[in-house]
Amino acid sequence: MSEEHYLELCENPVQFENASSVNNVFFDEANKQVFAVRSGGATGVVVKGPDDKNSVAFRMDDKGEVKCIKFSIGNKILAVQRTPKSVDFISFIPDYPHLECSQECKMKNASILGFCWTNWNEIIFITDQGIEFYQVLLDKRSLKLLKSQSVNVNWYMYCPETAVILLSTTTQGNVLQPFAFKSGTMSKMPKFEIELPVVPKPAKLNLTERDIAVATIYGQLYVMYLKHHSRTTDSPCAEVVLYQLPREGSCKKTNVLKLNTTGKFALNVVDNLVVVHHQSSQTSIIFDIKLREPDCAFNVHQPVLPGRSIHPYRIPLTGGGITDKHGWYLWYLQVKLPPTVNLLQDKGKLMDFLLRRRDCKMVILSVCAQMLNGGDKGGLPVVATVFDKLNQVYKEYLEAEQTYTVAMESGPSRGSAARDRPVRTQAVIDQSDMYTHVLSSFSEKKDTSHKFIIAVLMEYIRSLNQVQITVQHYLYELVIKMLVQHNLFYMLHQFLQYHVLSDSKPLACLLLSLESTYPPAHQLSLDMLKRLSTANDEIVEVLLSRQQVLGALRFIRSVGGHDNISARKFLDAARQTADQMLFYTIFRFFEQRNLRLRGSPSFNPGEHCEEHVVYFKQVFGDQALMKQVTV
């Protein structure tokens, strides 16, 4: 069996051919752009992102070696650093074409380590002596200092998603000072210390930027520390320690990811999974910090799946059938979910894993189908666990949707923020999804025990009821169809009698259709319609269709609706029975109703009963008609 790769590179990498002529390549993480800089006379720059439409090419005057180059958000302003003291700015805004300005750092004797855009016109300079926060004023060809902070800086790390920057301070570099940026403001967050491993004296360990990464995982900002232990310790294997960095409050150590090996590593976060690449084995492992390890304390995590290499990518050949050996390639890494299904045997854990992934719906449905295809071997407890996990997510979405609807109907309240409509993620597997992709075909399987099929269907209904989700009638229809097909009428009767199958008009109509196969279904149907209390018209129609005209009349009188019913409908039904005395009784009832309501036994023209009056006279004579009482 070939190795199942659950990590792959995206189909269309960012690439630069003939890269041998490129002097420098820079990657801007905020905009996901690669800058290829060629010098010689004028400086040529090619900028590429994940979308070819965003590619930009331009020339600028050669004013020295480019040390760093980045566009602001939206490619509006280009910032170029060529010296340790200043950064140059070039406008790419149509209203201010080719406007340029330059800004030196304010701190005396400071050297610029780098810069980060926080907005289309706001930028941070990071120097070895602190940070400076500026607003770019292109129309004035200048920058305005918004705020600065003095602190000795070894290196920095920036998270563009949250606009939070980390500054490494102190001689060992392990005290990190975060700052947050938003709408022209800079906020100093509580500093924290990364706990370094113990090393034999007199050796001293420093924290470097190669050991740190910042990323947003499940909507929270984390600092990830790649911790290498000394070989003299009891557990020399490396681990990744996660520190959660909240907007309010202090940073705290929250998770430890066990790598179970040593060597050189690299980190990525893909679809809220921490991916750790091991250089020497050329394998990658993934961690999900929301998957709890039952036997581990303090959120210690083992890899979710066994290590695998990234799926090989074949670089297309260029002209002449020769691969460009000097090309630059930048790929997005992505997780392939189908291979994970066979690598994670615990179905409950697999479902927890899949429900948190972006493109999970069809994989989850295929897991359900595969689980049921094993027949009784799959085990009903496992099936129940899977259904409960799916329906919990389904219920949470329905509740969020209901809360949103109520809030919209009641209108905005003073001081409350506007609500966003809940996003229906692929993790929401509703009854229609399960019916269409899993249960409908499963119920028709000939090689599976009908008892197991019924048990599975009832388990899904139980799971829905447990979280108070109204069961759709088509699921009940599947159950009833299976029961009737295998002559399990006693079980059907029990399910209905004890309300295992909830009352509904469609279900009552289905029961009616079964009367020829199972005669008691007729009475079961009527009982259900009566319990619904909103189905009086349906009950009357059912009784009339069975020529139980007196029964229909008694029922409608019992619920107090006899003053509003159609006389013609009942007279039509009575006449179709060919029972003259029944017709006489029904005709006399409506004469009496007419007399009571209008003071005359005659029918109004709008009731269209003329033919029934003629028939009554033919059979019983004119004298049988009720006479109007005169006072």
Side-chain angles (χ1 to χ4, degrees):
M1 180 180 168
S2 62
E3 183 180 358
E4 292 182 298
H5 305 276
Y6 51 76
L7 290 168
E8 65 179 357
L9 303 171
C10 64
E11 284 297 319
N12 299 306
V14 179
Q15 57 182 321
F16 292 95
E17 297 175 355
N18 301 318
S20 55
S21 62
V22 173
N23 299 88
N24 281 305
V25 173
F26 302 92
F27 175 57
D28 176 15
E29 188 175 358
N31 288 322
K32 303 293 185 287
Q33 291 175 325
V34 180
F35 290 74
V37 180
R38 296 180 174 92
S39 299
T43 301
V45 182
V46 177
V47 187
K48 290 189 176 183
D51 187 350
D52 288 339
K53 294 176 183 176
N54 294 333
S55 297
V56 181
F58 57 89
R59 289 184 174 275
M60 56 187 183
D61 294 338
D62 193 347
K63 298 178 181 178
E65 181 187 352
V66 174
K67 297 183 181 298
C68 187
I69 182 169
K70 295 176 186 177
F71 268 120
S72 70
I73 296 168
N75 292 1
K76 294 181 184 295
I77 306 171
L78 181 71
V80 185
Q81 182 190 354
R82 297 184 175 91
T83 74
K85 295 288 184 185
S86 65
V87 177
D88 300 327
F89 296 88
I90 305 169
S91 171
F92 277 71
I93 302 173
D95 292 343
Y96 302 101
H98 312 302
L99 282 182
E100 296 186 24
C101 63
S102 185
Q103 179 65 47
E104 287 192 1
C105 58
K106 296 288 187 184
M107 296 175 190
K108 196 175 180 181
N109 300 323
S111 294
I112 297 174
L113 302 177
F115 58 85
C116 302
W117 288 100
T118 63
N119 206 330
W120 76 269
N121 66 340
E122 293 170 3
I123 192 168
I124 320 160
F125 286 7
I126 304 96
T127 74
D128 55 2
Q129 295 181 19
I131 56 173
E132 301 171 8
F133 185 34
Y134 290 98
Q135 183 181 41
V136 182
L137 306 171
L138 277 176
D139 53 341
K140 297 179 180 178
R141 300 195 182 208
S142 65
L143 273 73
K144 176 185 177 183
L145 181 63
L146 299 174
K147 201 167 185 181
S148 63
Q149 180 79 41
S150 295
V151 58
N152 290 329
V153 180
N154 303 309
W155 48 265
Y156 71 94
M157 192 76 60
Y158 181 62
C159 178
E161 290 174 301
T162 56
V164 170
I165 196 165
L166 295 178
L167 304 181
S168 164
T169 66
T170 69
T171 53
Q172 284 188 276
N174 65 322
V175 175
L176 301 182
Q177 175 63 67
F179 290 88
F181 299 84
K182 186 177 182 181
S183 304
T185 62
M186 181 176 88
S187 306
K188 186 177 182 180
M189 301 166 70
K191 64 184 177 182
F192 62 98
E193 184 175 340
I194 297 290
E195 183 184 319
L196 297 177
V198 177
V199 293
K201 292 180 179 180
K204 205 173 184 182
L205 194 66
N206 291 337
L207 183 70
T208 70
E209 56 193 307
R210 291 191 301 273
D211 304 321
I212 293 290
V214 291
T216 302
I217 307 172
Y218 292 116
Q220 299 294 325
L221 179 61
Y222 287 88
V223 177
M224 300 185 288
Y225 167 43
L226 186 54
K227 190 173 186 178
H228 297 273
H229 290 279
S230 168
R231 291 186 180 276
T232 59
T233 59
D234 294 335
S235 55
C237 295
E239 58 192 25
V240 178
V241 183
L242 268 61
Y243 294 81
Q244 188 178 339
L245 189 57
R247 281 281 180 178
E248 304 291 336
S250 57
C251 184
K252 56 187 177 182
K253 180 178 172 182
T254 54
N255 307 79
V256 175
L257 315 181
K258 292 291 188 180
L259 304 186
N260 303 319
T261 188
T262 59
K264 291 183 178 180
F265 302 91
L267 300 176
N268 284 116
V269 172
V270 182
D271 200 6
N272 292 314
L273 296 169
V274 179
V275 184
V276 183
H277 310 283
H278 187 224
Q279 187 181 57
S280 60
S281 66
Q282 296 187 358
T283 58
S284 303
I285 50 179
I286 59 175
F287 295 87
D288 186 344
I289 64 172
K290 286 217 173 172
L291 281 182
R292 309 288 181 183
E293 297 291 338
D295 301 327
C296 292
F298 177 70
N299 289 344
V300 176
H301 303 267
Q302 293 293 334
V304 177
L305 303 169
R308 292 288 187 267
S309 62
I310 297 172
H311 194 284
Y313 184 91
R314 185 179 295 277
I315 297 174
L317 301 178
T318 55
I322 301 172
T323 303
D324 183 1
K325 295 180 181 178
H326 302 288
W328 291 85
Y329 293 87
L330 176 74
W331 281 275
Y332 275 99
L333 187 65
Q334 52 197 27
V335 178
K336 287 198 303 181
L337 293 180
T340 68
V341 173
N342 297 324
L343 294 172
L344 199 53
Q345 296 303 315
D346 183 328
K347 288 290 187 287
K349 192 173 180 181
L350 172 63
M351 207 51 61
D352 287 336
F353 174 78
L354 292 175
L355 282 167
R356 298 188 183 103
R357 306 287 74 83
R358 193 182 300 115
D359 302 317
C360 63
K361 175 167 284 190
M362 296 314 298
V363 179
I364 288 174
L365 290 169
S366 72
V367 168
C368 292
Q370 180 184 330
M371 171 181 69
L372 298 178
N373 282 340
D376 307 60
K377 298 173 188 175
L380 211 54
V382 175
V383 173
T385 298
V386 170
F387 286 162
D388 287 348
K389 289 180 182 294
L390 294 180
N391 288 329
Q392 184 57 44
V393 176
Y394 180 21
K395 175 64 173 179
E396 287 168 5
Y397 169 74
L398 291 177
E399 286 180 340
E401 185 72 27
Q402 184 179 20
T403 302
Y404 171 81
T405 303
V406 170
M408 289 300 101
E409 287 174 352
S410 60
S413 58
R414 267 185 92 179
S416 65
R419 286 181 177 270
D420 292 329
R421 182 165 199 146
V423 177
R424 179 169 181 149
T425 67
Q426 288 207 14
V428 179
I429 309 291
D430 64 18
Q431 297 174 67
S432 174
D433 296 323
M434 282 297 292
Y435 176 84
T436 304
H437 298 283
V438 180
L439 297 177
S440 181
S441 56
F442 170 65
S443 67
E444 295 174 359
K445 288 186 68 66
K446 304 299 182 187
D447 57 348
T448 302
S449 159
H450 68 271
K451 291 181 180 178
F452 181 66
I453 293 174
I454 293 168
V456 167
L457 294 174
M458 294 310 300
E459 196 58 52
Y460 185 62
I461 289 170
R462 175 209 61 78
S463 180
L464 291 168
N465 284 326
Q466 181 173 287
V467 289
Q468 298 177 318
I469 296 176
T470 303
V471 182
Q472 295 297 318
H473 65 85
Y474 46 75
L475 294 174
Y476 290 140
E477 287 175 12
L478 273 185
V479 174
I480 292 173
K481 180 181 171 185
M482 288 298 300
L483 294 172
V484 171
Q485 192 175 332
H486 295 279
N487 296 317
L488 299 172
F489 297 114
Y490 173 77
M491 189 178 290
L492 170 61
H493 206 111
Q494 293 286 91
F495 282 171
L496 292 166
Q497 185 176 355
Y498 293 106
H499 307 296
V500 176
L501 306 179
S502 299
D503 296 343
S504 71
K505 290 181 184 179
L507 189 56
C509 292
L510 175 63
L511 288 172
L512 277 176
S513 69
L514 297 175
E515 186 187 358
S516 58
T517 310
Y518 181 54
H522 172 73
Q523 190 57 46
L524 288 170
S525 170
L526 284 183
D527 292 343
M528 182 178 290
L529 288 169
K530 286 177 185 176
R531 288 194 299 270
L532 286 169
S533 73
T534 57
N536 295 338
D537 291 343
E538 284 83 353
I539 294 175
V540 169
E541 292 295 338
V542 168
L543 292 170
L544 291 179
S545 67
R546 289 179 49 79
Q547 297 191 338
Q548 295 180 12
V549 186
L550 276 177
L553 194 55
R554 289 193 199 99
F555 168 76
I556 205 66
R557 289 188 69 181
S558 70
V559 295
H562 53 290
D563 284 350
N564 301 314
I565 56 174
S566 164
R568 176 169 177 165
K569 178 184 291 186
F570 276 77
L571 291 169
D572 283 346
R575 194 166 168 185
Q576 286 171 7
T577 65
D579 183 339
Q580 292 182 344
M581 288 312 299
L582 174 65
F583 182 82
Y584 180 90
T585 303
I586 298 299
F587 190 93
R588 183 68 77 207
F589 168 82
F590 283 106
E591 279 189 317
Q592 291 171 344
R593 185 189 76 167
N594 295 342
L595 183 63
R596 178 169 52 83
L597 295 178
R598 300 195 297 268
S600 168
S602 303
F603 292 93
N604 283 338
E607 293 181 275
H608 306 293
C609 294
E610 292 82 4
E611 62 176 290
H612 295 301
V613 173
V614 170
Y615 176 74
F616 185 89
K617 291 178 180 178
Q618 289 174 350
V619 176
F620 304 105
D622 289 3
Q623 69 280 4
L625 288 171
M626 183 180 285
K627 302 295 186 290
Q628 185 167 346
V629 179
T630 56
V631 180

